[in-house]
Amino acid sequence: MIQKMDELLKSGQWWWLLVVPILTGAFALGGSWLGAKLGKTTEHQQWIRNEKTEVYSQLMSMVTQISFLITGMKFSLKSAAFERDPLMKKSAARFRLIAPKHIQNLYSDHRHITMTCLTKLRAKEELSSSEIELYTSTRDKLEDMMRFDLGI
């Protein structure tokens, strides 16, 4: 090994003795930096997906409960008082932070339709089939958009 180094020095190729270790170190540092960067990005994306999954699950649980009432299943109006539920208020705040704008807009539309239906039901009025269809279609579209956002 020492003979090889002496030969490189004598033949004027001493720069190989510097270039190889420097390049090796540079590639090691570059690979380390790239691995850390990619790992951090993946970890962040997974955290966001987990948060969305939790918030969307809570929201869809509430939507499902309300669906039973609006579509004519047995359900108590007291259980539909989600606007006073502190857990739902917390979930709504997290939803506004995490969900993309198009999903927030659809949820807002769906919530408006839901409140209209609940108001009629509280007044002991029957819902028309078109109102139930509108409610059901926005609920289904909201669920589909959440699934798409989560990649499932």
Side-chain angles (χ1 to χ4, degrees), residues 30-40:
S32 176
W33 176 82
L34 184 62
K37 183 75 171 161
L38 292 175
K40 186 177 179 181

Side-chain angles (χ1 to χ4, degrees), residues 78-98:
K78 289 180 182 177
S79 300
F82 63 92
E83 64 270 10
R84 293 186 299 270
D85 186 352
L87 177 63
M88 287 317 301
K89 285 184 180 179
K90 180 181 176 186
S91 293
R94 291 175 64 209
F95 177 76
R96 284 191 301 273
L97 287 173
I98 292 175

Side-chain angles (χ1 to χ4, degrees), residues 3-139:
Q3 282 182 331
K4 192 76 158 162
M5 289 173 45
D6 286 341
E7 288 176 21
L8 287 174
L9 288 172
K10 288 178 186 174
S11 65
Q13 295 182 359
W14 57 268
W15 52 273
W16 276 104
L17 298 175
L18 295 175
V19 171
V20 171
I22 289 173
L23 285 177
T24 302
F27 282 121
L29 286 174
S32 176
W33 176 82
L34 184 62
K37 183 75 171 161
L38 292 175
K40 186 177 179 181
T41 300
T42 302
E43 184 179 319
H44 179 70
Q45 290 171 340
Q46 185 62 41
W47 177 82
I48 287 175
R49 186 174 188 278
N50 290 343
E51 289 297 307
K52 284 181 179 182
T53 301
E54 184 180 334
V55 169
Y56 289 172
S57 295
Q58 290 172 353
L59 185 69
M60 287 312 295
S61 173
M62 182 263 316
V63 167
T64 300
Q65 290 177 358
I66 301 297
S67 291
F68 290 139
L69 175 66
I70 291 175
T71 57
M73 306 288 263
K74 298 289 183 198
F75 189 75
S76 165
L77 276 175
K78 289 180 182 177
S79 300
F82 63 92
E83 64 270 10
R84 293 186 299 270
D85 186 352
L87 177 63
M88 287 317 301
K89 285 184 180 179
K90 180 181 176 186
S91 293
R94 291 175 64 209
F95 177 76
R96 284 191 301 273
L97 287 173
I98 292 175
K101 204 62 163 167
H102 65 282
I103 293 178
Q104 290 181 38
N105 292 339
L106 182 60
Y107 174 69
S108 178
D109 294 344
H110 179 72
R111 192 167 195 279
H112 176 72
I113 293 165
T114 300
M115 297 311 285
T116 301
C117 291
L118 288 176
T119 301
K120 284 185 86 169
L121 289 172
R122 285 182 178 134
K124 308 263 191 249
E125 296 177 31
E126 289 290 319
L127 294 175
S128 69
S129 59
S130 63
E131 289 171 320
I132 293 173
E133 176 61 33
L134 178 62
Y135 173 83
T136 305
S137 67
T138 58
R139 181 201 61 208

